[in-house]
Structure formats: C-alpha cells, structure tokens
Amino acid sequence: MRGMAFAGALLLTTSCAEQPEPVAIVPTASAELPRVELVHLAGIDAGYVDARIHKIAVDTTGRIAFFPREDGIPLIRFVDASGRWTGGASRIGPGPGELDFPSRIWFVADTLITHDAARAVEIRFDRRGALLGERRIPPGRVPLAAASEGVLTFDPNWEFSQGPARLWLLPWDVADVREVLGAAQPQLAAALAKQPGPAITYPWPVVAMQNGVIALVEPRKPTVWYFNLAGKLLDSVVVEGAARSRGPYEAAEELENFARASRSGTIGPDGKRYRGPDIDSVKRLFAADRPPVAFIHGANFDGHGRLWIVGPHNDSTRALVLAGTRLLGAIMLPCFRVGRFVSVSNRWLALHCSKGEGGDPPFELQLYRIGEPDSTKLP
C-alpha cells in the first residue's frame, strides 16, 4: 500500500477567534500512504453485532462506542480494541443525559458527544460513560461533524425555507451558532445539487472538520474543497480516478427496491398513493450511472490531518486518503460494502460492514490500526 511521493497537510495559523487566518497547505514528513491492520475483536458476540447497529464512533485508544437498535441500559455500548465490553452511556428517557434516538455520536478526545433531536440538546459523557452535561441546540438541525472547535450543524429542510443551504458552527460552551458556509460559498450548493439518476444525491453535505479546516466533498466529480472557519476557500482538488463502481450485489438490491416501488407505488406528502418509477427507465439509468465516491458521513480526518473518504466500491470497501490537495492513494479493505457508519480517530478506523450475500451474521464491526509507512510496528 504505497502512495505518491509527495503530500500536503493542513495547518492552522490564527490571529483571533472572530477572524481565523487562512490555513496553509504545506509538505509533511510522511509522503506515503499509511498502513492499516485489521484488529480481531475477539470479545464481541458476533451474533449481537449485526444489522441492529445504528451509529459508531472510535476514540484515541481504539475503543468503539455504538448504538444498537434495541432499547437497553446502557443505550450506547462501549467495546475496547480487543472487543471486550467496557460499559456504556445513557438510556432512553426525557431526563438529563437520556436519549430518544442519537442522531450522531463522536469522540472528541476522550469525551463522547451525542445529540438528541427530540429534546434538541447536545449531551456529553466522559470516557466511563458518566454524564458531563448537556446544552440546548437549535431545533431542526442535524450535526454533521465534531472536533475541538465545536460541532457543524445543517438544516436538511433548507429548501422549504426558499433560502440558500447553510452550514453553522456551534462552538463548545458557547450558546450562539455562527454561519461558516452559505450563499457566499457556491460550492455548498454544488455539493447538494440534485441530478438525474438513481441514488446519486445527498440530503446533507459530506463534511469533516479539524484544526480550523472544513473539508467539503462533492461526491459526483468528486471534488474536495477546503475552507477555514471564516468561510474562506483555501484550496480544492479534483480526485482523479476516484469514481467507484456499483457492484453486482448492490445493483441487484437497489434494482429490487426500485422494482418493489414500481409495483406498489409511493405515498406522497398528501397521503395519496402515486405510481412508482418505471423500472425499465431505472435500468437504463443504472447502465449509464456513475455512483458517488463517498457515502454520507464517509469523510473523516485522522491524527495527522489526512482526509479519509471511505465508501463502497464494487461490493467491497475503499478508503481514499488525501493529504491536503494530494491523493496519497487508495486502500482496499476486507469489508463487504460498508454503509454510512464510518469513524476515524488519531490512529484508528472503525467500520460497520455487510458480510455479503448469505453472510452469517449479515453484518460485522471492524476495527483497523492506522500506522505510518516508515514504522516497523503499528501502534
């Protein structure tokens, strides 16, 4: 897994909190693609970690937090890097620290962050799962990324307001949000533009944030734009050769879903049933379709400022790794078609994978160590 001979990284130079200075893209010491090693999570009951998982997050030690579909105490479960259960956090309810359904979960350092849409609150837990506190967040927003600067939020119903799409930053311990991307950044609208064809649009942006830098992915070209927190465009790159292939199992599943909708029709917002899509037209679109490069939430920064874009590729899973504007290369992972559940920390990559047609169980949780190419031993 060797990459290109030169790389860039993103470093932040600040003058004041209100007006961050532009980020410089400079060479790094590591010019090659990092290495990954699959960790055997021996302690997990394979029959339990299946399709019931909703969300995952990995911390700096390789510990994974995940939210299973079934109700229980704790609601969010923890497993360490060997697969041993190590407790969890929260439970269902309307009280402090309790959740109805976590929209996302992250580890920021050793703090677990989640959001409860029903109560419109952000909740924080320590590494043991004990409640640290919570605060109100603007209702109707979905959190997209979290880092030391705060949380990026987005209104998925922005089209109904007949205004531009906007991305807000909610800093830690600050009540007010501030817009970081909006009408002044046409790249955001381009990343959300609807195009004809099956399964090629996103209801919200694919973004990542670290060290005062926002990476915005337009998944069709694909293009990565880098902005600072003042909304200034710092740089961009078109990731050549990154178009993915739709695998035969994925294509068959999606075509079956379209065929089912064609037979039964769809329910409109007025409650009436409308005729479903013409399946022959959908098949023609599939034949000419170029699927997007990344799934929702498939972009993450690692501890070295590299951007990982992880998504399915021909019924497998591929990680594209960029350092600034340079594509270091691609890593094919032994994960049968990952979904949207991907998490990266400083030296760890966690995935929720399908095990393929006839897999038993049909899904699995995977953990990888990320190591530098010149190191003799992975951390």
Side-chain angles (χ1 to χ4, degrees), residues 184-224:
Q185 292 80 27
Q187 297 86 355
L188 180 58
L192 293 164
K194 293 183 178 180
Q195 300 182 37
I200 62 172
T201 57
Y202 289 78
W204 47 71
V206 179
V207 295
M209 178 173 61
Q210 189 182 85
N211 295 336
V213 173
I214 297 172
L216 171 66
V217 180
E218 192 281 289
R220 288 292 296 180
K221 289 191 183 296
T223 304
V224 179

Side-chain angles (χ1 to χ4, degrees), residues 192-312:
L192 293 164
K194 293 183 178 180
Q195 300 182 37
I200 62 172
T201 57
Y202 289 78
W204 47 71
V206 179
V207 295
M209 178 173 61
Q210 189 182 85
N211 295 336
V213 173
I214 297 172
L216 171 66
V217 180
E218 192 281 289
R220 288 292 296 180
K221 289 191 183 296
T223 304
V224 179
W225 293 289
Y226 294 108
F227 297 88
N228 67 10
L229 298 184
K232 178 180 175 60
L233 179 63
L234 306 173
D235 216 330
S236 65
V237 56
V238 175
V239 186
E240 299 290 349
R244 77 175 184 89
S245 301
R246 196 187 303 270
Y249 289 122
E250 179 188 15
E253 290 172 2
E254 293 191 21
L255 282 172
E256 175 56 31
N257 291 335
F258 278 106
R260 190 178 301 112
S262 177
R263 293 191 296 268
S264 62
T266 58
I267 303 297
D270 56 2
K272 296 181 180 179
R273 184 175 295 277
Y274 292 87
R275 186 174 62 182
D278 176 68
I279 190 62
D280 292 330
S281 298
V282 171
K283 288 179 179 178
R284 287 193 294 270
L285 286 170
F286 260 63
D289 185 37
R290 177 186 176 188
V293 68
F295 266 14
I296 300 167
H297 310 318
N300 296 264
F301 281 110
D302 68 12
H304 291 267
R306 293 175 298 227
L307 185 68
W308 293 64
I309 302 176
V310 181

